[in-house]
Amino acid sequence: MNWFEKLLPTRIRTETNTKKSIPEGLWTKCGGCSAVLYRTELERNSDVCMKCGHHHRIGARRRLDLFLDETDREEIGAELEPIDILKFKDSKKYKDRLTQSQKSTEETDALIAMKGKLKGMPLTAVAFEFSFMGGSMGSVVGERFVRAANISLEERIPMVCFSASGGARMQEALFSLMQMAKTSAVLAKMSKEGIPFISVMTDPTMGGVSASFAMLGDVNVAEPNALIGFAGPRVIEQTVRETLPEGFQRSEFLLEHGAIDMIVSRLELRDRLANLLAMLGNKTLQS
Amino acid sequence: MRFLDFEQPIAELEAKIEELRNVSSDNELNINDEITRLEGKSSALIDQIFSKLNAWQISQLARHPQRPYTLDYIDQIFTDFEELHGDRAYADDAAIVGGVARLDDKPVMVIGQQKGRDTKEKVKRNFGMPRPEGYRKAMRLMKMAERFKMPILTFIDTPGAYPGIGAEERGQSEAIARNLFVMSELRTPIICTVIGEGGSGGALAIGVGDRILMLQYSTYSVISPEGCASILWKSAEKASDAAEALGLTSTRLRELGLIDRIIEEPRGAAHRDPAQIASSVKLALLEELEVLQGLDMESLLKQRYERLMGFGRYNERS
C-alpha cells in the first residue's frame, strides 16, 4: 500500500482488492521484444515468443516433456541426492541453499535424466534445471549424466543433453571440477562404441559445463540467441578492458566461429534431432 | 628472497643474520657463533609459522613470485629436453610448454603451464593463462606420446584458462573439453603434478591422469579464492574465507581422496630450495612411474576410468 492509499478511507480502498482477483500470470511480457503475450498461448508455443521468436528459459521437466514421446518414459537416478561434503558456508550454508532450491524447484538437484523415446526411437535424455542453483554441476549432476550415458552404452541407444548452466558448483569445490573429467570420460567411451551423443546448448551454457560434455557432441546444437562460452562476459570485459563485440558468445557467434553445427528453433528440435539420430543410427524414421 | 606478510618475523631475523655476515670484525669467532645461533632460531621460527599456515597463506605461497615454474623443473629433473612448439592450426601458446626429454635416460613427454618471472616474460607467458591453442598443442603432444609409447608428465601451474575475446572465438571450452575426453583414454601412463596454482578448468585440461600429485604448498580449486569470494560473498576481500571453504590445499584434497600423493616441500617452501624440491619431485615421479609401468595397458586404462567414475559424493536413497 502506498502513502496515497493509506490516506484514503477504507471504503474507497476496495479498488486495490478487486485488482487482486484477476488471475495472476495470465499475461506475460516477452523477454526479447517486450510484447505482452497470452500465457497459455506462449506455453502452447513451447515458450517461444509468437512475435519475435525469443526463446524463454524453460525448466528441465518441461524440456523433457516437450522433447520425448509421451509413452515409455522412465526417470534415471532420481534416488540420488546431493550432500554437503565440505560443510561449505559462505553468506549462507550450502545445506540451506540446497534445501531452498529443492523447495522452490521440487527437484533434488539440477539435472533430470530420463530414458524415453523420440518418434519411436529409444534414447536417453538429460536436461538441466537452471533455477536449481543456476543449473550448477555438482556430484549428483555428474553422476546422473553418467548413469544415463551408461544406459545408452548398455542398450546402444543415443543420448541427448540439454544444457542450461552457469558452470561448476562452487560449494562442492574440487568435486564439482572433477565432474567435468568424469562426464567427458564417459562420452569418450560412447564415442568409441559408436553411440551418438547430441548436445543441445540452451541459454545459458557456461563454464565447466560448456568446457566438458556440452562441447563434446557428435553434433553440437544451440537454441537461437543462447549465451554460450567458457568465461562469463563480465569477467572477460574486466580482463581485456574493452567492450565486447555485438552478439559475443551468442549462438550465432558460435556458429560463425565453427563451434557448433547448427542453430535450431525449439519448435523444430524434435523433428531435426529425430532426423539426425535416425541417420546416425541408420534407421528409417516412423512417420 | 621475497617475503610474504605472514613471513615478516622470518624476514627480520634473516635480515639481521645478513647484516652480521657483512660486518667485518676482529672477533669473527663470536660473530659466527651468533650467526649459527640466529640461524637455528630462524629455522625454528619458520617451522613454527609453517606448521599452522591457513588456506589463504598457502594460496599465496602457491603463487609466490620466486616459486619454481615448469621450466625450472624441466631444467633440474630431465635431460636432453627438446621443446616442441605450436598447435599446427593457429599459433604457439607460450603459456604452455612441452616437449620430449629424458627422465633418467627414459624418454618422456613433459607438458606444463609456464609463468613468467619478469614483466616481459610474464606478458609473453600470459601470466600462465593458456589460450585454446595451448591446450591443442598439449593434446597434439600427448597423442604423439601415445604413438611413441612415452609416459606423459604434466606440471600444473595456472591461475586458469585465459578469459579473452580471442580465446572464446577460437573455442576455449571445446579445447578444454577435448583434452579431458582424449586424456581419459590415452594408452600411456599419465602423471599430473600440481606445482603451484591449480586453477580450475584451465588446470584440469592437462590434469586427467593415473596419478595426481601435489606439492605441499600448491593449491587446486574449482575457482580462485578471489573469484569465489566476489561471487558468493560479494566481496573479493573475503578471499581468505573462500580459500578456507574451498578446501584447496594438498592436505585437505588428500583427505578427500581427490589426489594421490603430497610431495613435501623444503623448510619455508619450494622457492627456498629449488634444487631440493626438484629432487623430491623427481623421486616421486620415478616411484609412481615404476608402479604404473608395471601394469598392463588394459589395467591401467581400467583403473584410470574407474577413478574418473568414482569422483563425486552423494546420497543414494534406497
Side-chain angles (χ1 to χ4, degrees), chain B residues 144-198:
Chain B
M144 181 173 157
E146 180 184 49
R147 282 198 303 281
F148 296 106
K149 302 191 168 33
M150 291 176 184
I152 298 166
L153 307 173
T154 72
F155 292 99
I156 295 169
D157 190 14
T158 179
Y162 184 60
I165 295 172
E168 294 289 325
E169 287 175 333
R170 298 192 293 280
Q172 187 73 286
S173 290
E174 194 273 347
I176 294 171
R178 190 62 56 191
N179 281 17
L180 308 179
F181 182 95
V182 168
M183 290 181 91
S184 72
E185 48 177 27
L186 274 179
R187 300 177 68 83
T188 191
I190 307 171
I191 303 177
C192 312
T193 309
V194 186
I195 56 170
E197 274 182 284

Side-chain angles (χ1 to χ4, degrees), chain A residues 77-240:
Chain A
E79 64 280 10
L80 302 174
E81 288 172 344
I83 52 172
D84 177 18
I85 185 80
L86 296 165
K87 307 256 174 296
F88 196 101
K89 184 174 175 277
D90 46 84
S91 51
K92 225 189 239 177
K93 284 184 186 163
Y94 176 38
K95 236 176 103 184
D96 296 340
R97 284 187 196 268
L98 279 174
T99 318
Q100 196 184 30
S101 281
Q102 284 165 344
K103 262 196 194 140
S104 67
T105 62
E106 297 180 355
E107 299 295 351
T108 47
D109 211 313
L111 188 84
I112 314 296
M114 276 188 190
K115 190 188 150 186
K117 284 182 174 167
L118 175 65
K119 302 204 177 184
M121 290 180 290
L123 47 63
T124 60
V126 299
F128 274 82
E129 177 61 51
F130 187 72
S131 51
F132 194 106
M133 295 186 72
S136 57
M137 171 159 68
S139 298
V140 170
V141 169
E143 181 64 18
R144 281 188 188 154
F145 186 96
V146 164
R147 290 197 184 182
N150 281 339
I151 290 175
S152 275
L153 275 162
E154 271 163 42
E155 305 188 15
R156 303 195 63 83
I157 54 177
M159 178 172 178
V160 175
C161 171
F162 297 93
S163 303
S165 169
R169 186 174 297 168
M170 281 175 281
Q171 292 86 349
E172 289 188 30
L174 205 66
F175 282 105
S176 56
L177 188 73
M178 293 305 157
Q179 302 311 307
M180 293 169 64
K182 177 173 175 170
T183 52
S184 301
V186 81
L187 290 180
K189 202 170 184 186
M190 277 177 66
S191 177
K192 206 161 60 184
E193 294 286 323
I195 294 165
F197 171 64
I198 295 186
S199 168
V200 183
M201 289 168 256
T202 75
D203 187 56
T205 299
M206 302 300 291
V209 166
S210 159
S212 59
F213 53 83
M215 278 292 166
L216 292 172
D218 290 298
V219 181
N220 287 341
V221 180
E223 282 195 339
N225 200 37
L227 185 74
I228 303 164
F230 178 67
R234 246 181 313 154
V235 175
I236 298 175
E237 217 155 31
Q238 281 164 12
T239 311
V240 301

Side-chain angles (χ1 to χ4, degrees), chain A residues 45-46 48 55 63 66-67 118-119 162 221 223-224 262-276:
Chain A
N45 204 40
S46 304
V48 176
H55 284 51
R63 169 67 71 177
L66 287 171
F67 180 67
L118 175 65
K119 302 204 177 184
F162 297 93
V221 180
E223 282 195 339
M262 55 180 81
I263 297 172
V264 178
S265 154
R266 191 177 293 159
L267 301 170
E268 292 172 9
L269 262 177
R270 250 177 78 84
D271 289 345
R272 299 280 300 274
L273 261 53
N275 186 38
L276 272 166

Side-chain angles (χ1 to χ4, degrees), chain B residues 258-296:
Chain B
L258 288 163
I259 62 156
D260 301 292
R261 178 172 178 161
I262 298 172
I263 301 172
E264 209 178 304
E265 295 192 24
R267 173 175 288 137
H271 61 280
R272 292 199 143 227
D273 197 341
Q276 193 189 324
I277 188 63
S279 84
S280 303
V281 171
K282 183 175 180 179
L283 186 74
L285 291 176
L286 284 168
E287 280 177 7
E288 297 297 342
L289 209 50
E290 197 184 333
V291 179
L292 295 176
Q293 287 182 319
L295 298 168
D296 63 277

Side-chain angles (χ1 to χ4, degrees), chain A residues 64-83:
Chain A
L64 293 173
D65 194 45
L66 287 171
F67 180 67
L68 293 170
D69 292 353
E70 270 171 41
T71 55
D72 303 318
R73 293 180 187 176
E74 204 181 306
E75 192 162 342
I76 302 163
E79 64 280 10
L80 302 174
E81 288 172 344
I83 52 172

